[in-house]
Amino acid sequence: MDEKNATSQRIYQCALRILEAEGPQAVSMRRVAKEVGITAMAIYHHFPSREALLSAVVDSEFEQLVGFFSRSNGKRSFEAAMIHIMDGYIDYALAHPCIFDYVFSMPRPDARRFPDDFHARRSPTLNITADIVSSWIKLGKLKRDDPWEIAMELWAHAHGYIALWRAGRFHLSEDEFRRLVQRSLRRLLHGLTR
C-alpha cells in the first residue's frame, strides 16, 4: 500500500472510530486530521469534504452487512433466509449502535430513497432481500406482488423493533430481544389468521 493510500485508510479508520464512539456530529475534518497527525488542509487531498468522508464510511459499512447476508445458504426456506438477514441487521445494530443510527436512522444527503433508488438497485442490502423475495414469487411460493415493497416491509418491521430497542423500550436481554423479533417476523410471514 502506498503512502497516500495508507494515509487515506488511517483517516477513514479514525472517522469510523469517532463516528462509532460519539456519533456523526463529532466527526470533523479538523479533528480527524489532528488525530491522524496531518494538517487540516492535507486531509482534503484524501477526502474532498466531510460528507465525502462520511459517505466512504457508510459505503464500507453497507459492504460489511452485505458480506454477512451473502453467507446465507441458498437452500434455506424463505422464512429461514429472512430470519438470517434480519438477524444480521440486528447483530449490526447491537454491535455498532452509533454507526447504525447514522446509516439507517438519520437524514443524510446521500441516503437512498424509496422507490427510485431501490428499483435502480442502489441499495446493496435491500437488493439481497428483494432478490430472495422475487425468486420465491417466481417459484410460485409467494403471492405475486411487488418484491421491492415486500422487501421494504420486512426491513421496516425489523427496523421498527431496533428503533424501539435503541430507545430503551424493552426490558429484555439481547437474546430475548432477538427471539422476540424472530417470532414477530414469523407472524408477519405467516399471518395471524387461522
Side-chain angles (χ1 to χ4, degrees), residues 58-131:
V58 167
D59 289 347
S60 178
E61 293 306 305
F62 276 116
E63 287 176 27
Q64 283 194 31
L65 274 172
V66 168
F68 178 85
F69 300 155
S70 298
R71 290 191 291 270
S72 176
N73 181 343
K75 297 183 184 207
R76 293 174 191 236
S77 68
F78 181 70
E79 177 185 297
M82 290 302 104
I83 287 174
H84 173 76
I85 288 172
M86 296 311 151
D87 277 347
Y89 193 53
I90 292 167
D91 286 344
Y92 185 83
L94 298 178
H96 308 285
C98 290
I99 296 174
F100 175 87
D101 288 346
Y102 180 67
V103 171
F104 292 107
S105 299
M106 293 182 173
R108 291 183 291 111
D110 60 341
R112 293 160 187 94
R113 306 284 189 269
F114 189 84
D116 298 343
D117 290 335
F118 295 92
H119 288 177
R121 300 190 61 81
R122 292 187 186 115
S123 173
T125 50
L126 203 65
N127 288 347
I128 294 169
T129 305
D131 289 347

Side-chain angles (χ1 to χ4, degrees), residues 10-172:
R10 287 189 0 253
I11 292 167
Y12 164 82
Q13 290 297 330
C14 181
L16 179 63
R17 184 178 41 73
I18 294 169
L19 178 61
E20 177 57 39
E22 302 174 43
Q25 70 285 351
V27 179
S28 72
M29 298 297 267
R30 185 174 301 280
R31 177 177 177 188
V32 171
K34 181 177 179 183
E35 290 190 21
V36 169
I38 60 175
T39 67
M41 292 309 294
I43 195 170
Y44 290 96
H45 294 290
H46 302 273
F47 295 93
S49 65
R50 175 182 180 271
E51 291 72 28
L53 176 56
L54 287 172
S55 183
V57 170
V58 167
D59 289 347
S60 178
E61 293 306 305
F62 276 116
E63 287 176 27
Q64 283 194 31
L65 274 172
V66 168
F68 178 85
F69 300 155
S70 298
R71 290 191 291 270
S72 176
N73 181 343
K75 297 183 184 207
R76 293 174 191 236
S77 68
F78 181 70
E79 177 185 297
M82 290 302 104
I83 287 174
H84 173 76
I85 288 172
M86 296 311 151
D87 277 347
Y89 193 53
I90 292 167
D91 286 344
Y92 185 83
L94 298 178
H96 308 285
C98 290
I99 296 174
F100 175 87
D101 288 346
Y102 180 67
V103 171
F104 292 107
S105 299
M106 293 182 173
R108 291 183 291 111
D110 60 341
R112 293 160 187 94
R113 306 284 189 269
F114 189 84
D116 298 343
D117 290 335
F118 295 92
H119 288 177
R121 300 190 61 81
R122 292 187 186 115
S123 173
T125 50
L126 203 65
N127 288 347
I128 294 169
T129 305
D131 289 347
I132 292 170
V133 169
S134 184
S135 70
W136 280 76
I137 289 172
K138 286 177 186 165
L139 291 170
K141 297 187 178 203
L142 294 179
K143 291 189 241 179
R144 288 198 108 15
D145 206 329
D146 183 328
W148 291 104
E149 287 187 13
I150 294 169
M152 184 59 77
E153 179 180 1
L154 295 168
W155 276 103
H157 180 79
H159 185 81
Y161 270 101
I162 293 168
L164 290 168
W165 172 267
R166 296 277 301 125
R169 301 303 173 101
F170 292 98
H171 186 65
L172 301 170

